[in-house]
Amino acid sequence: MTANATGVGSLPGGDAREAAKTATGSFEDFPYLPELPARGPGADMIGRSLGLLVDLYAHVEPSGWRVSDRPGRDTRRARSWLGEDLDALEEFTQGYEGRLKVQAVGPWTLAAALELHGGEAALQDPGACRDLAASLAEGLREHLADVRRRIPGAEIVLQFDEPSLTAVLTGRVRTASGYRTYRAVDRQVVEGTLRELFAVHDGDVVVHSCAPGVPFDLLRRAGANAVSFDFSLLTEREDEAVGEAVESGVRLFAGVVPGTDAPLSDPGGSVMGVRKLWRRLGLAPGTLAESVTVTPSCGLAGASPAYARAVQAHCARAARSLADNPE
């Protein structure tokens, strides 16, 4: 992977063609497949990923997504919107050759969000977690094959969105009642499940979380090629884990610009913290460009359309600043 910038996943609005045009125009060297959750259930990241599942179905309840016995309207809608988004992306990537990022929710965030028939999360049932991960793996194989057919020149980068991963590891995911939390899942089980999911793709795998306390060590051991995170939440306590990850070849997708409307500094200022991190870790400035991809801190679904466009252009300029002036 070369020095660059890309988006996280979601954009505001509901126009698939406009979103694809923005994602490919802002990041000519590293476009991504946009998600448009404003369209409603099924276009949200959980619903979209549930639509990918094979032989497992879900529908919307007032409390969220719940397992179904058969595919219904919500599953069909999720698949239809994904098809619409892929059609739009295909249109704007004719003849494109290079990296292209697609996103799916990871198995642990999915297990924390999907309710079983009784209303509790799949997370509480180890067997349900295994079934969910296996179904997701099968669905991702089909999805990646579809993207390759549509955009044959693409080097696909697969991003797993795992914002609930830290809560799953620390036993902080709340039960349906909200009065207690599910027991923490064993780290080896979490790591093993992720390793199996990462193996679905023979290219680069990124894990994104905009929550505090991203488990860099665990993700590195599970085989992630890159970790995407909100840079403002990084603390010096994580320096060692971040340094080890970088030295072992893991790329950092540094989310340096707010995901909702906020004043933007100059592009060089946005990556000042990344340069400081490099100095703290004692890493050679010349490695910055090959080790860091600049992104917004999280998805842009909550931003205004004008800000979303401005932020993506800003990230591209900030990446150039990092490459041109690593010190």
Side-chain angles (χ1 to χ4, degrees):
M1 291 200 247
T2 52
N4 235 309
T6 191
V8 171
S10 65
L11 287 173
D15 186 329
R17 288 188 76 255
E18 184 60 34
K21 184 179 176 183
T22 299
T24 54
S26 302
F27 304 114
E28 293 176 2
D29 299 320
F30 199 173
Y32 65 99
L33 175 64
E35 299 160 1
L36 300 171
R39 292 180 297 197
D44 59 301
M45 71 177 199
I46 297 293
R48 166 171 283 195
S49 295
L50 290 172
L52 292 173
L53 300 180
V54 173
D55 297 331
L56 251 180
Y57 313 104
H59 65 278
V60 179
E61 293 272 335
S63 54
W65 286 91
R66 185 170 293 185
V67 165
S68 299
D69 294 325
R70 61 186 66 84
R73 183 184 61 194
D74 296 327
T75 297
R76 287 193 295 273
R77 189 167 49 197
R79 290 175 177 172
S80 171
W81 271 328
L82 176 58
E84 190 180 302
D85 294 338
L86 284 166
D87 288 345
L89 186 69
E90 185 178 359
E91 179 186 341
F92 286 98
T93 50
Q94 291 296 307
Y96 174 73
E97 293 184 355
R99 289 172 301 153
L100 169 73
K101 185 165 69 67
V102 298
Q103 304 83 222
V105 175
W108 295 108
T109 295
L110 218 49
L114 178 62
E115 298 173 359
L116 300 176
H117 290 296
E120 292 295 345
L123 188 64
Q124 75 159 17
D125 182 337
C129 289
R130 284 193 295 273
D131 290 347
L132 187 57
S135 176
L136 179 61
E138 198 54 45
L140 279 170
R141 285 188 190 96
E142 293 180 7
H143 178 48
L144 292 168
D146 184 25
V147 176
R148 286 189 195 99
R149 277 193 301 273
R150 290 168 176 269
I151 311 164
E155 298 163 25
I156 299 173
V157 176
L158 174 59
Q159 174 179 305
F160 285 99
D161 290 312
E162 279 284 17
S164 300
L165 182 59
T166 303
V168 166
L169 289 165
T170 54
R172 293 207 310 269
V173 177
R174 295 208 163 275
T175 58
S177 68
Y179 293 123
R180 56 187 190 84
T181 55
Y182 296 111
R183 183 179 301 147
V185 180
D186 181 87
R187 292 181 80 86
Q188 288 183 312
V189 172
V190 169
E191 187 180 321
T193 301
L194 289 174
R195 187 178 293 111
E196 287 170 16
L197 260 295
F198 297 170
V200 164
H201 181 47
D202 58 7
D204 287 317
V205 171
V206 186
V207 178
H208 169 73
S209 172
C210 43
V214 175
F216 287 92
D217 287 342
L218 183 149
L219 296 173
R220 173 175 57 81
R221 288 195 306 270
N225 304 96
V227 180
S228 170
F229 59 99
D230 180 342
F231 192 83
S232 71
L233 299 178
L234 201 63
T235 67
E236 292 193 19
R237 284 197 307 275
E238 290 153 297
D239 277 5
E240 188 177 341
V242 172
E244 281 182 14
V246 172
E247 288 178 338
S248 67
V250 174
R251 191 177 183 88
L252 305 183
F253 280 45
V256 297
V257 190
T260 50
D261 293 39
L264 296 173
S265 72
D266 67 288
S270 293
V271 287
M272 188 67 72
V274 181
R275 294 188 183 99
K276 286 180 181 170
L277 171 68
W278 238 242
R279 286 198 289 273
R280 256 196 348 256
L281 296 177
L283 296 169
T287 63
L288 253 178
E290 66 204 41
S291 299
V292 175
T293 294
V294 177
T295 72
S297 60
C298 210
L300 297 169
S304 66
Y307 180 78
R309 287 191 296 273
V311 157
Q312 297 192 107
H314 185 90
C315 286
R317 288 195 295 270
R320 281 198 293 276
S321 163
L322 206 54
D324 294 343
N325 306 297
E327 307 212 37

